[in-house]
């Protein structure tokens, strides 16, 4: 029995023990497009078996997967329905110390935030700006980075949702239609998506080419250029 198969057995137990407000998810990171191999209380994020890795995990896979820290606790997460989650992740390693899996706990704290917002409004007597609005969720000890990756997490029911969300997020700074971006702007978009782990997902090059109105070979040329420039900087 593989190590991930052994972890599968504790997912329903944790889901029952921790209650309906806590989603328990086991990821197989060797298959990021369909990494969820066990899940309990999945209605919290609207995910099922076969859902893709989160954006945080994709970025982590992009920067490297060697053992550095065993786990990360109490960081900010967001479900596709907009609920705020308090998330923690335990990383599972193989015999070569590569991260091959992740066991995640996602507490839905949205109802607590809603109550806090109402209390803040009463205390501050200002319904337009409350403490809940101006104080963002923070990870434990104020640490908002892990292995050089910003800690915030969005969760997607399907790999297409993940790809489209990451692409649209990178396009937000540009006022022009995606198909009218200059070559310099397209290159910047591809570089941002590369750093955020988009291209770990199969089908991402095709999807991005469609959105930008260019060919897939053009995206691959941009990627090769970005990888060479990054290697030169490190060198």
């Amino acid at each position: 029995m593989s190590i991930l198969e052994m972890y599968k057995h504790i997912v329903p137990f944790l889901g029952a023990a921790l209650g309906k407000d806590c989603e328990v998810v086991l990821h197989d990171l060797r298959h990021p497009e369909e990494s969820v191999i066990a899940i309990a209380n999945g209605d919290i994020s609207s995910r099922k078996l076969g859902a893709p890795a989160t954006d945080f995990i994709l970025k982590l896979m992009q920067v490297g997967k060697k053992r550095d820290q065993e786990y990360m606790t109490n960081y900010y997460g967001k479900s596709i329905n907009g609920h705020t989650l308090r998330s923690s992740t335990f990383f599972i390693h193989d015999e070569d110390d590569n991260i091959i899996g992740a066991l995640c706990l996602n507490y839905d704290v949205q109802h607590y935030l809603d109550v806090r917002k109402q209390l803040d409004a009463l205390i501050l007597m200002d319904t337009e700006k409350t403490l809940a609005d101006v104080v963002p969720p923070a990870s434990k000890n104020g640490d908002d980075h892990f292995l050089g990756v910003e800690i915030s997490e969005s969760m997607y029911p399907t790999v297409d949702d993940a790809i489209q969300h990451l692409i649209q997020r990178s396009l937000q700074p540009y006022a022009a239609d995606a198909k009218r971006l200059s070559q310099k702007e397209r290159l910047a978009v591809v570089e941002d998506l590369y750093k955020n782990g988009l291209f770990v997902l199969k089908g991402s090059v095709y999807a991005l080419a469609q959105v930008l109105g260019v060919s897939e070979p053009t995206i691959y040329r941009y990627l090769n250029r970005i990888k060479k420039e990054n290697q030169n900087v490190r060198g």
Side-chain angles (χ1 to χ4, degrees), residues 161-179:
D161 290 329
I163 289 172
Q164 291 302 322
H165 175 85
L166 290 168
I167 290 174
Q168 294 306 317
R169 189 170 67 185
S170 289
L171 289 172
Q172 282 180 355
Y174 303 97
D177 180 89
K179 291 184 170 134

Side-chain angles (χ1 to χ4, degrees), residues 78-94:
K78 184 74 73 173
S79 66
I80 199 166
N81 64 2
H83 281 202
T84 297
L85 309 177
R86 179 168 59 83
S87 300
S88 299
T89 295
F90 178 83
F91 298 102
I92 302 167
H93 300 78
D94 63 13

Side-chain angles (χ1 to χ4, degrees), residues 35-59:
S35 67
V36 175
I37 58 173
I39 187 166
N41 303 325
D43 55 313
I44 288 175
S45 68
S46 301
R47 288 181 296 176
K48 299 178 181 179
L49 293 178
T54 67
D55 53 356
F56 170 58
I57 289 177
L58 290 172
K59 284 189 283 187

